[in-house]
Amino acid sequence: MSALGFEIEAREGAARAGVLTTARGKVMTPAFMPLATAGAVKALTVDQARAAGAAIILGNTYHLMLRPGAERVARLGGLHRLMRWDGPILTDSGGFQVMSLASIARVDEEGVVFRSHLDGSAHSLSPERSIQIQADLLGSDIVMQLDECIALPAEPQRAAAAMQLSARWAARCKAAFGRRERQALFGIQQGGLDEALRRESAERLVEIGFDGYAIGGLAVGEGHEAMCAALDFAPAMLPAERPRYLMGVGKPIDIVEAVWRGVDMFDCVLPTRSGRHGQAWTWDGPLNLKNARFAEDPDPLDPESDCPASRDYSKAYLHHLVRSSELLGQVLLSWHNVAVFESLMRRLRAAIVGSGLAALRSELKARAAARASL
């Protein structure tokens, strides 16, 4: 029996509204997980993240193993206690960051040997070590297998080799993880944009057996249309009764299209990264608060929002904070953006429950297209 409960409460086409039950609480799906990469949602306290609607957050093995160190986190009582978050935490395995940030010395059957982007120190990460860090030292609720994530476009032979290595690592991760009563393990589908490779990856993961399944290797340079084309077939290859997680995605319209195709869980740096650079997300797309047109705008970003950052501060004040490089500007815009993404999840869920997702999708696609044409 899985340590992770998942009940689908409503469907509209391929889309699902469900409830994910972890040892630390329930998560309504579709769900967006703000990134607490290094043990903090950037610019926010955990209370602000929770107030914005976050029920689950994401930590990262690569960053935490380098600083402050996984063993130190364990000595301090685990990641939940360290960052004062009592809800569920999903941890990425570190594979994507190793491939994208570190200076890689070697990728082979055993794992990855790399040099830290912080100080050049040498490290290794195997499937077994990734599981140890996530499950035993950080104490995450949802653990991800170690995989090899390559940039797209990629040669077919390269995509096939990465998928096959990831599948072999998946089996080793499952063996290292064993059976646990309070923690869950997700496998990661790979295969680039190739339908046959995605199918082979899914079949191998299902044969191993996981508590949930992620779609990896997208949002790595292929573009929106190519991503949607892959999502036309990839989610349906994964077990319908288990949660499906699209890693690293994305813009609101990306999330809408993925939910339409049967994805349940998401994470992305976009809300807080945009907030730190003066950008506010709205239902009509992003606003650049650096622009002079906001200098005397007395209106808030969203007067109807429950989020104080969205409701209580004028765009003129936010413009001033951003142009003055005041840290408060980064805090307020990050808080607002996380609240917008979490509100999107609630709207998508309500639309599925009320059989109105097709209409909401059309509305949001039209708004995104109108914004793109400006």
Side-chain angles (χ1 to χ4, degrees):
M1 183 176 178
S2 174
L4 189 72
F6 183 60
E7 180 182 359
I8 298 173
E9 297 188 329
R11 299 177 187 268
E12 183 177 340
R16 304 110 66 85
V19 181
L20 194 69
T21 303
T22 76
R24 286 189 169 88
K26 296 181 183 296
V27 179
M28 303 299 175
T29 65
F32 181 82
M33 300 178 284
L35 267 63
T37 302
V41 179
K42 290 189 183 298
L44 301 184
T45 67
V46 293
D47 296 322
Q48 288 171 317
R50 188 179 291 106
I56 178 172
I57 59 175
L58 184 147
N60 183 264
T61 297
Y62 172 83
H63 289 281
L64 291 165
M65 71 179 281
L66 295 180
R67 188 169 57 193
E71 280 75 12
R72 177 172 293 168
V73 173
R75 289 193 298 271
L76 292 168
L79 187 57
H80 294 83
R81 179 176 295 180
L82 181 65
M83 62 181 296
R84 207 176 61 81
W85 172 264
D86 58 5
I89 295 176
L90 180 148
T91 45
D92 195 353
S93 68
F96 176 79
Q97 287 71 27
V98 167
M99 306 301 169
S100 61
L101 293 177
S103 175
I104 301 174
R106 185 177 72 250
V107 179
D108 59 20
E109 197 68 36
E110 180 56 30
V112 185
V113 177
F114 63 94
R115 291 194 175 275
S116 165
H117 73 287
L118 297 174
D119 59 10
S121 57
H123 300 267
S124 63
L125 190 63
S126 67
E128 293 78 11
R129 175 61 173 162
S130 179
I131 295 299
Q132 179 193 31
I133 291 172
Q134 295 179 77
D136 300 331
L137 301 176
L138 301 180
S140 62
D141 301 284
I142 301 177
V143 174
M144 303 302 299
Q145 74 149 105
L146 183 66
D147 63 330
E148 184 183 14
C149 184
I150 60 174
L152 296 179
E155 293 295 324
Q157 298 89 338
R158 181 71 184 96
M163 181 277 291
Q164 291 159 1
L165 179 62
S166 295
R168 295 192 296 272
W169 283 357
R172 288 169 57 188
C173 285
K174 178 65 179 291
F177 186 80
R179 297 181 62 86
R180 299 176 186 242
E181 294 183 358
R182 295 178 59 83
Q183 294 171 296
L185 178 65
F186 277 33
I188 303 176
Q189 181 199 54
Q190 288 289 353
L193 304 176
D194 187 285
E195 185 171 358
L197 292 180
R198 287 276 172 186
R199 185 174 304 280
E200 180 184 347
S201 176
E203 289 172 351
R204 295 177 69 168
L205 293 175
V206 171
E207 183 178 359
I208 296 166
F210 291 91
D211 299 298
Y213 296 84
I215 301 167
L218 296 178
V220 288
E222 75 278 3
H224 175 77
E225 295 302 326
M227 183 196 74
C228 288
L231 292 174
D232 284 337
F233 53 78
M237 296 173 176
L238 302 172
E241 71 277 8
R242 303 312 303 160
R244 301 164 177 163
Y245 162 31
L246 179 57
M247 305 182 75
V249 173
K251 293 181 179 178
I253 194 60
D254 298 331
I255 293 174
V256 171
E257 291 301 302
V259 167
W260 179 254
R261 291 162 170 82
V263 177
D264 308 298
M265 301 167 65
F266 303 88
D267 79 276
C268 190
V269 300
L270 194 59
T272 51
R273 179 176 289 175
S274 295
R276 297 196 309 278
H277 292 86
Q279 191 176 69
W281 281 88
T282 73
W283 295 109
D284 293 307
L287 300 178
N288 183 354
L289 270 300
K290 296 177 184 178
N291 288 348
R293 68 188 180 98
F294 296 113
E296 296 189 20
D297 189 332
D299 296 325
L301 290 166
D302 185 354
E304 304 301 320
S305 175
D306 292 332
C307 176
S310 310
R311 182 192 62 220
D312 297 343
Y313 298 90
S314 70
K315 289 193 281 288
Y317 182 56
L318 295 170
H319 166 81
H320 161 68
L321 294 176
V322 171
R323 292 295 296 267
S324 302
S325 299
E326 287 287 347
L327 291 178
L328 181 59
Q330 298 182 33
V331 171
L332 293 176
L333 291 178
S334 296
W335 194 4
H336 161 80
N337 286 341
V338 171
V340 167
F341 274 64
E342 296 294 349
S343 178
L344 173 62
M345 297 298 107
R346 292 192 295 274
R347 285 190 68 180
L348 290 170
R349 177 182 173 81
I352 296 168
V353 171
S355 300
L357 182 61
L360 178 60
R361 177 187 179 224
S362 295
E363 175 194 338
L364 295 179
K365 286 179 70 175
R367 287 187 172 192
R371 181 74 184 179
S373 67
L374 294 179

